[in-house]
Amino acid sequence: MAMKRAATSAIRAFSSSSPSSFGSSGSSTRLLHASAESKKIVGVFYKANEYASLNPNFVGSLEGALGIRDWLESQGHQYIVTDDKEGLDSELEKHIPDLHVLITTPFHPAYVTEERIKRAKNLQLLLTAGIGSDHIDLNAAAAAGLTVAEVTGSNVVSVAEDELMRILMLVRNFLPGYHQVINGEWNVAAIAYRAYDLEGKTVGTVGAGRIGRLLLQRLKPFNCNLLYHDRIKMEPELEKQTGAKFEEDLDSMLSKCDIVVINTPLTEKTRGMFDKEKIAKMKKGVLIVNNARGAIMDTQAVVDACSSGQIGGYSGDVWNPQPAPKDHPWRYMPNHAMTPHVSGTTIDGQLRYAAGVKDMLDRYFKGEEFPAQNYIVKEGKLASQYL
Amino acid sequence: MAMKRAATSAIRAFSSSSPSSFGSSGSSTRLLHASAESKKIVGVFYKANEYASLNPNFVGSLEGALGIRDWLESQGHQYIVTDDKEGLDSELEKHIPDLHVLITTPFHPAYVTEERIKRAKNLQLLLTAGIGSDHIDLNAAAAAGLTVAEVTGSNVVSVAEDELMRILMLVRNFLPGYHQVINGEWNVAAIAYRAYDLEGKTVGTVGAGRIGRLLLQRLKPFNCNLLYHDRIKMEPELEKQTGAKFEEDLDSMLSKCDIVVINTPLTEKTRGMFDKEKIAKMKKGVLIVNNARGAIMDTQAVVDACSSGQIGGYSGDVWNPQPAPKDHPWRYMPNHAMTPHVSGTTIDGQLRYAAGVKDMLDRYFKGEEFPAQNYIVKEGKLASQYL
């Protein structure tokens, strides 16, 4: 299957230039040869406008373009960037028929559908600048023999830090106090009656992969009761270090938590996972932090539970879809602390994922393997977290 | 000096009932005798109004009254609570002439001036429900032979947690994103151009007492460069545990910090300490968190530095005065993340300081010593942090 597109479309030269064809001896010559070819690379990033000039390290923006333009063009490659990604009239769509590499990000996601993949006859490589490639139809990409890779680890610290901030903001009931300040008010009671310490509370993470583990490590000194649910137990060393207890049964964990943090990728299994029934299994007034993906939640179920008080506070930076339309109900629900999708695109994160994309492009041109943990689709197979 | 009021005012019976007269053998008989007397106790707390009934543990409010009314009245004491604290016509002022014990809090501070102390002929004991007794004229209290005590440790965790939340909110540039959400907007660039990871940044605390140390412990897993300035070095064990480096020279530390956290009490030495000159010694764009006391800052200097960009973000819950008037300039300065004074009055903190006040009243009635660390003024002397 991995070779399907390569086999059916000679002009795409998949087998001669895709890193996914590596791993067998003798192929390096063909790939080194491939490196001399000029490639058309398209990047879809959020536009910075007046903010572009305010920070020289703002490489994650359209204007920053990952800081790789000179490097790419000096090697004879074509590099087009755009933020216009939706529909058949978009700038992105114009380049779909002849691009070789498409770079996208979760923050301003270009949805790479099966139809787009079919139209992208020259496409070989889909790179995600950041983490989370669910905006790509991964099964279609696999069926077409494409390689999909992300910069695994590039912004896990960024996201974990942001989660801890959101936990604290909900537990401490920050926003009502802030609103008082900007509205000229002062009413300590209206904040304090539902402000708590994090200490002593039960915090559970649904998923304890790279981000979940970093969160648990950062929660450790807060003296909470830490729980985690995942497909597999963590190494005993890490369990000991964080003091987190494994909960094999998700529902059982949810019923114990004062705070639930979602740290699982969006897959066919997790899509809509937190629906009315699941939320009803949580403690009354539970606080939920979700920086994973908006579509893991049933949108209306979250709104209803925030309105009824079943959810005491909801914070995250992920929405379905993105950008969230003006009338997205999460903008208007009570006790939310939402932002646009930013937690993984700090300046520090941008510099790391820009470096990671450059490294993978360099390897692609040279016909070298990517770091193993970066592959999301390789040789027709999805990475284990997406299965 | 400790005995001045006792010696000059026989009716106050200071020497027979104040815990500050303890520590010498043979006095316990007199104090046990004193316990049979009926005392007039006044508490000044913030009013909860409609929030009073929403949480049975909301003991820090006027209505909650620290949960000690039944206990006090069953022993024959009179217990009056009010939130009306300002001026000669206030409810508090009516009771000043004959109260024995005044309980105040930093969150809704009754300013205990030299004049009030002079009018309070029966006053023996000033208890702070929480930490920070700078709303009391401590020198006047000492001169009058009063005992001042707070519930040391009762909410240090609460405040330290809140500080870490504020650090993260400023570093991650949370509030502009939140404003976008509630205003129907979506502009990742306008947030991301100045959003950073906390990891790798230099964080310095001015003061490493109980709260500063708890903050350093919680910062440890974030992999920052941690610095602290204090009168004295921490124990080597704690330095090793937190990885924080001692900075003897404050100005030298300030010039290195991306983030400065104020963790020093308000004293005559720290009042107005962060003025224009001090702030100019910090890095351009420094982030400042101050949950200590508003009067440690020069109010206008903070406004000017936020406007010029010298301060990149300012967050805290303390103001001068409190409640902050509607026209307090900190409500309107750019890049602030302010709240009313709440960080130490979480429900958890309230339960602890209510228990601590009850314990001290019990000891006072029984003529027993308070926990040593609770004394702010004892036998005419100020605690070391206020010298």
Side-chain angles (χ1 to χ4, degrees):
Chain A
M1 193 137 92
M3 294 296 105
K4 185 179 168 183
R5 177 162 286 197
T8 57
S9 173
I11 58 159
R12 301 179 88 154
F14 177 79
S15 64
S16 68
S17 62
S18 166
S20 74
S21 67
F22 261 69
S24 60
S25 61
S27 55
S28 59
T29 312
R30 281 191 293 166
L31 281 146
L32 284 167
H33 177 71
S35 69
E37 294 173 22
S38 172
K39 300 289 183 186
K40 179 168 182 174
I41 296 148
V42 175
V44 182
F45 309 109
Y46 54 82
K47 205 169 182 179
N49 295 312
E50 68 268 33
Y51 300 98
S53 60
L54 298 181
N55 192 328
N57 291 322
F58 196 5
V59 293
S61 63
L62 177 72
E63 294 85 344
L66 302 183
I68 55 175
R69 178 173 298 284
D70 291 349
W71 175 74
L72 284 172
E73 292 180 349
S74 71
Q75 295 178 75
H77 301 295
Q78 190 183 0
Y79 185 37
I80 290 155
V81 295
T82 182
D83 72 326
D84 182 20
K85 62 189 179 69
E86 303 289 347
L88 291 172
D89 294 332
S90 65
E91 178 72 14
L92 169 60
E93 197 63 39
K94 284 187 211 165
H95 302 287
I96 288 287
D98 65 343
L99 57 80
H100 299 95
V101 180
L102 177 57
I103 306 168
T104 60
T105 89
F107 314 109
H108 183 72
Y111 294 99
V112 184
T113 59
E114 186 173 10
E115 292 67 37
R116 274 189 167 157
I117 288 171
K118 280 184 183 158
R119 286 194 292 276
K121 303 290 183 199
N122 286 357
L123 181 59
Q124 295 169 333
L125 177 61
L126 287 159
L127 290 176
T128 299
I131 303 174
S133 299
D134 48 88
H135 55 286
I136 297 166
D137 185 329
L138 297 175
N139 289 314
L146 303 181
T147 296
V148 182
E150 46 189 55
V151 193
T152 302
S154 62
N155 53 15
V156 288
V157 164
S158 316
V159 177
E161 287 186 2
D162 191 275
E163 288 176 346
L164 187 42
M165 173 192 76
R166 289 172 196 270
I167 291 171
L168 285 166
M169 286 182 57
L170 294 179
V171 173
R172 315 286 312 202
N173 203 23
F174 171 83
L175 280 169
Y178 173 71
H179 278 289
Q180 286 182 24
V181 168
I182 59 176
N183 293 330
E185 300 161 3
W186 184 282
N187 186 343
V188 171
I191 312 159
Y193 84 99
R194 62 194 305 262
Y196 292 89
D197 291 352
L198 179 54
E199 183 168 275
K201 305 304 179 290
T202 297
V203 187
T205 174
V206 182
R210 290 164 201 274
I211 295 172
R213 289 161 186 226
L214 290 171
L215 175 65
L216 291 171
Q217 289 171 330
R218 280 154 184 73
L219 280 167
K220 170 70 172 157
F222 283 87
N223 303 314
C224 298
N225 179 29
L226 299 179
L227 307 176
Y228 75 98
H229 169 79
D230 206 327
R231 292 168 301 164
I232 43 169
K233 280 191 71 157
M234 299 192 299
E235 302 81 344
E237 184 56 36
L238 198 56
E239 272 202 353
K240 198 179 160 193
Q241 188 204 327
T242 62
K245 292 191 199 77
F246 178 62
E247 293 273 340
E248 193 165 6
D249 184 64
L250 175 60
D251 290 351
S252 166
M253 182 180 86
L254 294 177
S255 70
K256 296 173 191 166
C257 291
D258 301 301
I259 300 130
V260 172
V261 188
I262 317 292
N263 274 311
T264 183
L266 175 63
T267 67
E268 286 320 304
K269 278 183 195 153
T270 64
R271 186 176 297 274
M273 179 182 180
F274 287 91
D275 55 11
K276 188 180 171 183
E277 287 68 38
K278 204 59 131 191
I279 292 170
K281 287 174 176 161
M282 300 186 193
K283 272 191 186 178
K284 172 91 177 167
V286 64
L287 306 176
I288 299 180
V289 170
N290 176 15
N291 279 5
R293 284 297 179 264
I296 295 170
M297 317 303 291
D298 176 323
T299 300
Q300 191 57 42
V302 170
V303 174
D304 294 343
C306 282
S307 299
S308 74
Q310 172 61 17
I311 295 178
Y314 183 92
S315 184
D317 69 340
V318 288
W319 305 69
N320 181 28
Q322 292 183 179
K326 276 192 204 304
D327 62 353
H328 196 294
W330 288 4
R331 292 183 186 266
Y332 308 100
M333 61 190 182
N335 298 316
H336 83 69
M338 299 294 297
T339 65
H341 194 175
V342 290
S343 68
T345 185
T346 57
I347 295 294
D348 305 273
Q350 292 173 42
L351 290 169
R352 285 191 298 262
Y353 66 65
V357 167
K358 185 180 178 185
D359 173 65
M360 285 192 284
L361 286 171
D362 193 39
R363 290 167 187 257
Y364 164 69
F365 298 143
K366 291 177 177 164
E368 296 173 359
E369 283 278 303
F370 296 168
Q373 72 274 15
N374 286 13
Y375 287 107
I376 299 304
V377 174
K378 185 185 184 187
E379 296 171 5
K381 286 183 188 146
L382 270 64
S384 62
Q385 70 267 33
Y386 284 97
L387 291 177
Chain B
M1 194 137 85
M3 295 297 107
K4 186 177 171 187
R5 178 163 287 198
T8 57
S9 173
I11 57 159
R12 302 177 87 153
F14 177 80
S15 63
S16 68
S17 62
S18 164
S20 74
S21 68
F22 260 68
S24 59
S25 61
S27 54
S28 57
T29 311
R30 281 189 294 168
L31 281 148
L32 285 168
H33 176 72
S35 69
E37 295 172 22
S38 172
K39 300 291 184 185
K40 179 168 182 174
I41 297 150
V42 174
V44 182
F45 309 110
Y46 54 82
K47 205 169 183 178
N49 295 312
E50 69 268 32
Y51 300 98
S53 60
L54 298 180
N55 192 328
N57 291 321
F58 196 5
V59 294
S61 63
L62 178 72
E63 295 86 344
L66 303 183
I68 55 175
R69 178 174 298 285
D70 290 349
W71 175 75
L72 284 173
E73 292 179 350
S74 72
Q75 296 178 74
H77 301 296
Q78 188 184 0
Y79 185 37
I80 289 154
V81 295
T82 182
D83 72 326
D84 183 21
K85 62 188 179 69
E86 303 289 346
L88 291 172
D89 294 331
S90 65
E91 177 71 14
L92 168 61
E93 196 64 37
K94 285 187 210 163
H95 301 287
I96 288 287
D98 65 343
L99 57 79
H100 299 96
V101 179
L102 177 57
I103 306 169
T104 60
T105 89
F107 314 108
H108 184 71
Y111 294 100
V112 184
T113 59
E114 186 172 10
E115 291 67 37
R116 274 189 167 157
I117 288 171
K118 281 184 182 157
R119 285 194 292 277
K121 303 291 184 200
N122 287 358
L123 181 59
Q124 295 169 334
L125 177 62
L126 287 159
L127 291 177
T128 299
I131 303 174
S133 300
D134 49 88
H135 54 286
I136 297 167
D137 185 329
L138 297 175
N139 288 314
L146 303 182
T147 296
V148 182
E150 45 189 57
V151 193
T152 303
S154 62
N155 53 14
V156 288
V157 164
S158 315
V159 176
E161 287 186 2
D162 191 276
E163 288 176 345
L164 188 42
M165 172 193 77
R166 289 172 195 270
I167 291 170
L168 285 166
M169 287 182 57
L170 293 178
V171 172
R172 316 286 312 202
N173 203 25
F174 171 83
L175 279 169
Y178 172 71
H179 278 289
Q180 286 182 24
V181 169
I182 59 175
N183 293 331
E185 300 161 2
W186 184 283
N187 186 345
V188 171
I191 312 159
Y193 84 98
R194 63 195 303 264
Y196 292 88
D197 291 352
L198 178 53
E199 182 167 275
K201 305 305 178 291
T202 297
V203 187
T205 174
V206 182
R210 289 165 202 273
I211 295 171
R213 289 162 186 223
L214 290 171
L215 175 66
L216 291 171
Q217 287 170 331
R218 280 154 184 74
L219 279 167
K220 170 71 172 158
F222 283 87
N223 303 315
C224 297
N225 178 29
L226 298 179
L227 308 176
Y228 75 97
H229 169 79
D230 206 327
R231 292 168 302 164
I232 44 169
K233 281 191 73 158
M234 299 193 297
E235 301 82 342
E237 185 56 36
L238 198 58
E239 271 202 353
K240 199 179 161 193
Q241 187 204 330
T242 62
K245 292 191 198 78
F246 178 62
E247 293 274 339
E248 193 166 5
D249 184 66
L250 175 60
D251 290 351
S252 166
M253 181 181 87
L254 294 177
S255 69
K256 296 172 190 165
C257 291
D258 301 301
I259 300 131
V260 172
V261 188
I262 317 292
N263 275 310
T264 183
L266 175 63
T267 67
E268 287 319 304
K269 277 184 194 152
T270 63
R271 186 176 295 276
M273 181 180 179
F274 287 91
D275 55 11
K276 187 179 171 182
E277 287 68 37
K278 203 60 128 190
I279 291 169
K281 286 174 176 160
M282 300 184 192
K283 272 190 186 179
K284 173 92 177 167
V286 65
L287 307 177
I288 299 180
V289 170
N290 176 15
N291 279 6
R293 285 297 179 263
I296 295 170
M297 318 302 291
D298 177 322
T299 301
Q300 190 57 40
V302 171
V303 175
D304 294 344
C306 281
S307 299
S308 74
Q310 171 62 16
I311 295 177
Y314 184 92
S315 184
D317 69 340
V318 288
W319 306 69
N320 181 28
Q322 291 183 185
K326 274 190 204 305
D327 63 352
H328 196 294
W330 287 4
R331 291 183 185 267
Y332 308 100
M333 62 189 183
N335 298 317
H336 83 69
M338 299 296 296
T339 64
H341 194 174
V342 289
S343 69
T345 186
T346 57
I347 296 294
D348 306 272
Q350 292 172 42
L351 290 169
R352 286 191 297 263
Y353 65 67
V357 166
K358 185 180 178 185
D359 173 65
M360 286 193 283
L361 286 172
D362 194 39
R363 290 168 186 257
Y364 164 69
F365 299 143
K366 291 177 176 163
E368 295 173 359
E369 283 277 304
F370 296 168
Q373 70 275 14
N374 286 13
Y375 287 108
I376 300 304
V377 174
K378 185 185 183 187
E379 296 172 3
K381 286 183 188 148
L382 271 63
S384 62
Q385 69 266 33
Y386 283 97
L387 292 177

